[in-house]
Amino acid sequence: MNPEALDVALTMSMLLHAKPMDEVHVMRKVVIDGSNTTGFQRTAVIALNGSITVEGVEVPIEQVTLEEDSGRKTGDTKTSVIFRIDRLGVPLIEVSTGPVIHDPEQAGKVAFAIGRILRATKEVKRGLGSIRQDLNVSIKNGALIEVKGVQELELVSKAVGYEVQRQLALLEIRDELRQRNVKASDIKEEFVDITDILSDSESKIVQSALNQGGAALALELPSFKGLLKRELIPNVRLGTEMAKRAVFWGRVGGIFHSDELPAYGIDSNHVEEVAKKLGCGDLDGFVIVVDSLENSKDGLRAVVERAREAVERVPEETRAANPDGTTVYLRPRPGAARMYPETDVPPVQIGQDRLERLWENLPRMPEELAKELGTNHSLSPKLATQLVDSDYLLLFEQIVAQAKGVAPSFVATILTESLRSLQREQVPVDNLQEDQLRRAFDLVSKGATAKESVIDVLKWLAFHPDGVAEEAVDMLNLRMLTKLDLENIISKVVESNQTLVQENGSKALGRMMNLVMGEVRGRADPRQVTELLRSRLEQVRT
Amino acid sequence: MTVLALEGYHGGVLQKLRKSRAKIGSIIRLTSKSGEVFEGTLIPRSEYSDPTHIVLKMKNGYNVGISLDRTEKLEVIGEGEKPHFTKPSPPANHAGLSKVAIISTGGTIASRVDYRTGAVQPALTAADLASVVPELSSIAKIDTHILFSEYSENIGPTHWKGMAEEVAKKIANVAEGVVISHGTDTLHYTAAALSFALANIPVPVLLVGAQRSSDRPSSDAASNLTGAVALAARADIATVGVAMHRDLSDHIIVAHQGTRVRKCHTSRRDAFRSINSNPLASYDLKTGEIELSKGVAKRDKSRKLVLESRFDQHACLIKFYPGMNPGMIDSAVSTGARGIVLEGTGLGHVSGHLFDSVKKALKQEVPVFMTSQTIWGRVDMNVYNTGRDLLNLGVTPLEDMIAETAVVKLMWVAAQTKSAGKIRDMMLQPVAGEMTSRTLVEAS
């Protein structure tokens, strides 16, 4: 086991007031979605029973584990899933809170608080996805649902909200099915071959599957009419839930359900004939799958299971978060049975010496850190806190040490407020490399560009991820003017405004200043401009 | 059953556990001096671990180790579910399938994991196999036999003899093919040994192993076994071979010739490579199609098997390296070597400071053979002076024979004759495709 990763996990545990284990045992957790090439993820409990206080409420930290990260899914086709494995095996710390979070906003706050403590170790990778939230959401009469891959903090409360909404909608559907007197046993695993009915369909999906020797199978869903199209959360209907199951278990491209037909090249005649062949009544629905016979059968079996669950309960699932906070079915929820010992890694004894060493070097907590930053660099408490909560604390310290003569508060403002407002303007600030940022401030420090130009430089760099700050300064014409250049410009402006100067004398300075700055803004230090302009005006008068 | 003993615990922890009447599998509650409470199932401990920690499996499946020093109280609060194993029902018999004998010698190709303790138990009755690899029962009629259970590094000439005799029995018992499961480390030595021991074979005999044990989802055990059984049942070949993955994907299982195969990677699924040759046949796991290479020996049930399974262990394989002490060769001779295979550099060279020792060996009627440590290629000792010098001393080049195959052949040859001259002659006489005079382009 990587000793540094273990140290970070132990440090993290101490910050969360969790008790480290005496001996760490590595387990294999079976993961067969392809995201781990070994088919299992190695994971170990590092500490138990911690707690943190978030806005006066104590939140138990049940467990801190050290795991290896999985591959990142980058796409899929009908028959394969594509993963990037550059993240595979990177140490990952999992912090599990107790089930004491009662509303979506609180969930967001707790996630934020844990993220701050994680960052305090200064060992957390910067960028999207380096801190992810897996949410366990359950409601009364609902089920425990694990939502994976919430990458942005802002999404936590939204995802929780949607999940609550989805479970409530499923319970409503269940009650409605019960009112219609449907029992799970009424949904029969009987698939009817309707290949002949669909053989003249104009649907490309149907035609291509049938041309490859596939079959069109249909399944009756008694009394489901109208419920399949019931929206649970935006863009997720009961039919969608069934489709995702069919895709997962049957390797099919999708399903057609009666609430969305006629459409997709299946016309009303087809629908009528299928309903007739299945013996559907007015309230009955049906599902069609067109694929190889084996896949179609597996797909419909999954639909049967999901339909039976719809009558009985909200099924326990692991779901994946979409960027908008809605979720889709990912896989069934695994239990403790998928854990078994990793025999290739011997147990690691932690030992008192190690704990003492880590204890003595415990990083300061965010509040302390902010206070210290404020004092050392004369930052306002607000700015210092923002900096601690940003991804740029380390970079800030480097820049301030390196770029002499640039005010720390200026650096801090750019790295926090300015970048955030650029982001709001849809500037892709995530593209900015640390080196680009460092060099931009360097140029200010050397006097090659004005500090007013930094934002424009960064904006340019965000759109040119391969560019360097020097290039940005030249491209944007933001290089500082020499004294001679400045004097020439000032002379010109003074000459073309002779009357103004003559009439107002030294009082013309303010207005003249505006005119000159209009030409040289971003390329000259205003103090220098004032100085040169004043002496020029003196000259003109004498 | 061993799981019920306090496996792996010793010293103070063992005493404490005994006193509390705890058993492996008991549900235990530990209360620490600071008042923390841990509950879980008592798990066996590795035999080499210290005597101060207790391992519990918590309810969520994680194992944790708790120090005895920190423990105030240890109570047994329940008995866990006893490990049980329901015997799978025997596989359905499909009519018209070929009979394939599976002989198990060890390795983890067919095993099941007790998920509670993580213990790996072998599974090798026909019913077990069918439950672990259900595909098998639709490929062939399986007859299984556990010959012994050894790590492959412990397998040697005595085991080879036992395997060869068992294979002869199975063939006499009209098996259409024989599959031998075997640990992978020395699989290619065994493959070479059986190639020499079983002459004139009527059906294929395929050794099979797994690079990843079957307790890992990435295991190649089931796919290799499926491929081996399919090739043994249906491929029109009659050779001793090794059936393993062709590449990294679970797609093609290839059969390599037993005398021309070598393990070339510690862990990859395609660790076994045909050296200076191409695989004999391949099996497509998806389509079930079999492809044969040109010129392979075909099945012929009328052929009469000739068994010659003696091996003389007084054979020696010495790898040359810069700075090698010539005393290594002297010591091989003085400890009774009846022949020495040198694994020389490049085209077949060793340093001039070994010449005296080589000379001494040859003078004492110990033939010296040359192979190359480059693994691929053919020795040619006529290209450089050192090679010519060695030839002149009386060293015998072994063409394109793999060093490992050469030492196995030397053991086999030495068991059949007392004469050094005869040993030399027999080494140069191809017996089981171990050596060819023509170098072919290998398929990549």
Side-chain angles (χ1 to χ4, degrees):
Chain A
M1 194 186 295
N2 181 304
E4 193 188 346
L6 184 56
D7 278 354
V8 176
L10 284 166
T11 301
M12 190 59 210
S13 301
M14 290 174 178
L15 294 176
L16 295 167
H17 311 106
K19 313 326 172 266
M21 301 317 304
D22 301 320
E23 191 176 65
V24 170
H25 286 251
V26 183
M27 307 298 289
R28 295 178 186 163
K29 182 158 64 175
V30 174
V31 179
I32 49 166
D33 62 355
S35 59
N36 281 73
T37 50
T38 49
F40 53 77
Q41 179 186 36
R42 294 184 291 183
T43 172
V45 171
I46 304 300
L48 295 171
N49 303 328
S51 77
I52 52 169
T53 306
V54 180
E55 297 191 349
V57 180
E58 191 183 305
V59 178
I61 302 294
E62 287 189 340
Q63 181 169 294
V64 179
T65 58
L66 179 60
E67 317 195 314
E68 48 185 2
D69 209 343
S70 52
R72 183 178 1 181
K73 185 174 164 184
T74 58
D76 49 13
T77 66
K78 206 186 118 189
T79 52
S80 60
V81 184
I82 301 156
F83 291 96
R84 263 184 85 129
I85 54 172
D86 55 355
R87 206 180 67 185
L88 184 64
V90 170
L92 175 86
I93 296 172
E94 188 175 279
V95 178
S96 317
T97 61
V100 297
I101 302 168
H102 296 292
D103 62 75
E105 283 91 278
Q106 196 198 354
K109 282 174 191 160
V110 171
F112 179 71
I114 294 173
R116 281 184 89 181
I117 299 172
L118 275 168
R119 276 208 190 79
T121 64
K122 300 192 183 176
E123 299 284 355
V124 176
K125 196 173 168 288
R126 183 170 82 86
L128 193 66
S130 67
I131 298 183
R132 302 190 294 274
Q133 288 80 23
D134 290 348
L135 309 167
N136 288 321
V137 184
S138 59
I139 64 167
K140 194 179 169 193
N141 297 325
L144 183 62
I145 298 291
E146 185 178 0
V147 180
K148 286 243 167 235
V150 179
Q151 303 206 331
E152 282 163 281
L153 214 46
E154 294 77 46
L155 224 53
V156 170
S157 57
K158 224 170 169 181
V160 173
Y162 276 137
E163 183 46 34
V164 171
Q165 187 188 329
R166 194 186 67 93
Q167 293 194 30
L168 287 172
L170 285 173
L171 290 174
E172 244 172 60
I173 289 176
R174 179 195 67 177
D175 295 343
E176 209 160 320
L177 283 166
R178 284 182 177 172
Q179 269 172 17
R180 295 184 187 182
N181 274 322
V182 190
K183 286 187 290 296
S185 55
D186 296 340
I187 301 154
K188 302 253 171 11
E189 208 175 276
E190 284 162 12
F191 312 141
V192 178
D193 194 315
I194 53 155
T195 310
D196 53 333
I197 300 177
L198 290 193
S199 59
D200 68 338
S201 157
E202 277 163 22
S203 158
K204 280 201 184 111
I205 303 166
V206 173
Q207 282 310 330
S208 113
L210 295 185
N211 284 340
Q212 287 168 37
L217 297 184
L219 161 79
E220 187 194 351
L221 292 177
S223 303
F224 269 72
K225 191 170 192 170
L227 296 177
L228 296 169
K229 67 175 176 197
R230 179 78 61 84
E231 196 170 61
L232 311 171
I233 45 177
N235 297 317
V236 178
R237 297 156 199 281
L238 181 58
T240 323
E241 300 280 37
M242 291 177 172
K244 292 290 175 190
R245 290 282 188 95
V247 170
F248 184 84
W249 294 104
R251 306 158 299 277
V252 300
I255 64 171
F256 301 103
H257 64 75
S258 49
D259 281 357
E260 59 182 353
L261 298 176
Y264 313 113
I266 296 177
D267 61 33
S268 51
N269 287 333
H270 294 135
V271 174
E272 221 168 275
E273 275 186 69
V274 172
K276 205 172 118 196
K277 193 159 181 183
L278 289 170
C280 290
D282 281 351
L283 269 177
D284 300 333
F286 60 82
V287 166
I288 299 172
V289 174
V290 195
D291 208 294
S292 72
L293 186 62
E294 192 194 347
N295 288 358
S296 298
K297 278 186 183 165
D298 287 346
L300 281 186
R301 265 184 215 117
V303 173
V304 168
E305 193 188 324
R306 185 63 191 86
R308 286 178 181 161
E309 286 165 353
V311 182
E312 288 178 335
R313 61 181 185 276
V314 177
E316 285 202 350
E317 290 171 349
T318 299
R319 301 178 65 87
N322 291 322
D324 66 351
T326 60
T327 59
V328 289
Y329 175 78
L330 189 63
R331 51 176 186 246
R333 241 182 76 78
R338 70 164 170 165
M339 295 259 224
Y340 64 109
E342 161 59 307
T343 43
D344 300 347
V345 182
V348 180
Q349 276 131 38
I350 300 300
Q352 208 51 41
D353 293 351
R354 184 179 206 146
L355 291 179
E356 272 161 26
R357 170 173 58 81
L358 293 172
W359 187 256
E360 277 161 21
N361 293 300
L362 219 51
R364 275 146 307 168
M365 294 297 277
E367 295 76 15
E368 256 179 280
L369 213 55
K371 212 180 214 173
E372 191 188 274
L373 268 180
T375 326
N376 289 353
H377 299 293
S378 327
L379 302 182
S380 71
K382 186 182 159 213
L383 199 51
T385 308
Q386 279 180 0
L387 198 56
V388 170
D389 290 338
S390 78
D391 288 325
Y392 294 108
L393 180 55
L394 263 182
L395 186 68
F396 167 80
E397 285 171 349
Q398 288 166 5
I399 290 173
V400 168
Q402 199 184 359
K404 301 273 179 257
V406 183
S409 62
F410 170 70
V411 179
T413 310
I414 295 282
L415 290 181
T416 55
E417 287 166 11
S418 308
L419 285 185
R420 225 176 9 249
S421 55
L422 283 180
Q423 188 155 35
R424 257 180 245 124
E425 294 165 27
Q426 311 297 326
V427 177
V429 290
D430 283 336
N431 285 345
L432 289 171
Q433 306 294 315
E434 298 203 342
D435 196 51
Q436 289 178 322
L437 287 159
R438 257 194 298 269
R439 285 172 79 162
F441 287 104
D442 251 7
L443 291 179
V444 178
S445 162
K446 285 186 197 133
T449 193
K451 62 182 211 177
E452 289 78 7
S453 306
V454 170
I455 291 176
D456 287 331
V457 168
L458 295 183
K459 198 165 163 181
W460 188 89
L461 288 170
F463 287 107
H464 300 83
D466 296 326
V468 287
E470 284 82 354
E471 212 180 331
V473 166
D474 289 335
M475 295 300 292
L476 299 170
N477 197 19
L478 292 173
R479 196 164 281 283
M480 280 297 213
L481 296 166
T482 61
K483 192 175 168 204
L484 195 66
D485 290 337
L486 262 184
E487 282 170 345
N488 286 338
I489 291 169
I490 288 171
S491 294
K492 263 187 218 150
V493 176
V494 170
E495 267 159 44
S496 48
N497 292 283
Q498 288 286 357
T499 8
L500 182 80
V501 176
Q502 298 298 346
E503 282 171 12
N504 295 293
S506 59
K507 282 180 194 150
L509 184 66
R511 290 191 57 190
M512 286 303 294
M513 185 67 191
N514 282 343
L515 289 170
V516 176
M517 283 311 290
E519 293 216 8
V520 304
R521 193 175 306 281
R523 296 188 289 156
D525 177 2
R527 269 176 306 180
Q528 193 187 13
V529 175
T530 319
E531 214 172 277
L532 291 174
L533 184 62
R534 184 175 283 132
S535 68
R536 178 73 190 152
L537 290 178
E538 298 273 323
Q539 274 176 19
V540 173
R541 269 195 299 167
T542 52
Chain B
M1 205 184 237
T2 48
V3 260
L4 295 179
L6 288 165
E7 205 178 321
Y9 287 101
H10 42 107
V13 172
L14 180 64
Q15 280 174 19
K16 183 114 184 175
L17 288 170
R18 277 204 182 127
K19 231 171 90 187
S20 320
R21 300 184 173 277
K23 289 185 216 131
I24 298 296
S26 300
I27 301 180
I28 301 241
R29 181 188 290 142
L30 295 177
T31 312
S32 78
K33 287 172 182 154
S34 56
E36 280 172 87
V37 176
F38 302 96
E39 277 182 22
T41 308
L42 186 67
I43 292 290
R45 205 163 155 73
S46 151
E47 54 187 310
Y48 295 119
S49 45
D50 69 48
T52 53
H53 291 82
I54 295 172
V55 188
L56 295 184
K57 181 185 260 316
M58 301 189 297
K59 216 169 157 191
N60 62 10
Y62 277 99
N63 290 4
V64 292
I66 295 139
S67 161
L68 184 67
D69 297 345
R70 236 170 32 112
T71 305
E72 176 79 39
K73 204 159 99 186
L74 189 161
E75 310 156 81
V76 175
I77 55 168
E79 282 312 312
E81 217 179 294
K82 289 273 182 300
H84 65 279
F85 176 64
T86 322
K87 274 241 169 261
S89 46
N93 253 335
H94 296 264
L97 291 177
S98 312
K99 187 166 143 191
V100 169
I102 300 182
I103 300 170
S104 163
T105 69
T108 46
I109 180 133
S111 48
R112 64 175 68 249
V113 173
D114 177 353
Y115 282 95
R116 205 180 45 86
T117 62
V120 180
Q121 295 169 349
L124 213 97
T125 65
D128 286 345
L129 263 189
S131 73
V132 177
V133 191
E135 299 92 317
L136 291 183
S137 65
S138 60
I139 295 173
K141 191 164 170 282
I142 306 289
D143 158 39
T144 60
H145 179 77
I146 301 177
L147 185 58
F148 49 79
S149 192
E150 283 287 354
Y151 290 128
S152 83
E153 55 274 21
N154 297 335
I155 286 177
T158 331
H159 300 95
W160 299 340
K161 189 173 183 333
M163 278 185 245
E165 285 163 0
E166 189 61 33
V167 169
K169 266 189 235 165
K170 298 293 180 198
I171 292 177
N173 201 10
V174 294
E176 303 283 340
V178 180
V179 170
I180 303 174
S181 74
H182 193 294
T184 55
D185 279 7
T186 64
L187 184 67
H188 48 303
Y189 291 90
T190 300
L194 295 183
S195 300
F196 297 122
L198 300 163
N200 207 36
I201 48 171
V203 296
V205 174
L206 296 174
L207 286 128
V208 65
Q211 282 287 87
R212 315 270 170 85
S213 53
S214 42
D215 57 324
R216 298 160 205 261
S218 68
S219 174
D220 51 344
S223 45
N224 286 341
L225 190 60
T226 305
V229 168
L231 288 164
R234 289 173 28 214
D236 192 6
I237 54 172
T239 326
V240 175
V242 168
M244 294 286 286
H245 269 60
R246 182 185 68 183
D247 50 52
L248 292 180
S249 296
D250 284 331
H251 185 195
I252 305 282
I253 304 301
V254 285
H256 305 274
Q257 175 145 359
T259 50
R260 309 220 119 208
V261 61
R262 190 179 182 283
K263 187 176 185 179
C264 294
H265 197 277
T266 55
S267 56
R268 273 170 67 141
R269 298 144 185 261
D270 58 351
F272 284 85
R273 312 302 293 253
S274 279
I275 311 292
N276 300 331
S277 67
N278 289 314
L280 305 169
S282 66
Y283 174 75
D284 188 318
L285 287 162
K286 291 202 177 89
T287 64
E289 271 166 47
I290 287 176
E291 265 184 51
L292 297 185
S293 291
K294 275 188 198 143
V296 295
K298 307 268 186 195
R299 287 169 188 272
D300 182 356
K301 288 192 105 175
S302 67
R303 224 179 270 148
K304 208 94 194 102
L305 180 75
V306 181
L307 182 67
E308 175 49 74
S309 57
R310 290 172 296 164
F311 292 91
D312 183 337
Q313 300 200 36
H314 293 94
C316 193
L317 172 61
I318 299 177
K319 181 174 188 148
F320 165 74
Y321 51 92
M324 186 173 126
N325 180 355
M328 306 280 270
I329 295 174
D330 303 338
S331 120
V333 173
S334 64
T335 51
R338 304 217 20 238
I340 295 170
V341 175
L342 286 175
E343 215 182 282
T345 54
L347 290 164
H349 306 132
V350 295
S351 162
H353 76 273
L354 298 182
F355 284 8
D356 279 346
S357 293
V358 171
K359 243 189 273 181
K360 262 190 270 171
L362 289 162
K363 211 174 154 203
Q364 291 183 47
E365 293 282 282
V366 177
V368 178
F369 301 96
M370 184 61 76
T371 61
S372 179
Q373 55 188 250
T374 61
I375 302 172
W376 273 269
R378 175 186 300 277
V379 291
D380 186 345
M381 299 168 69
N382 284 307
V383 179
Y384 296 103
N385 280 337
T386 305
R388 288 190 285 268
D389 292 345
L390 286 164
L391 281 177
N392 195 41
L393 290 179
V395 171
T396 310
L398 290 180
E399 301 289 334
D400 62 346
M401 203 190 303
I402 309 171
E404 290 82 355
T405 298
V407 74
V408 172
K409 186 176 181 186
L410 184 55
M411 289 189 211
W412 182 70
V413 166
Q416 295 176 57
T417 175
K418 294 245 178 304
S419 141
K422 192 86 188 294
I423 288 180
R424 196 176 292 119
D425 291 347
M426 286 178 76
M427 283 302 284
L428 290 174
Q429 191 61 47
V431 177
E434 72 277 17
M435 185 171 172
T436 56
S437 51
R438 190 170 170 222
T439 304
L440 294 170
V441 177
E442 280 176 63
S444 55

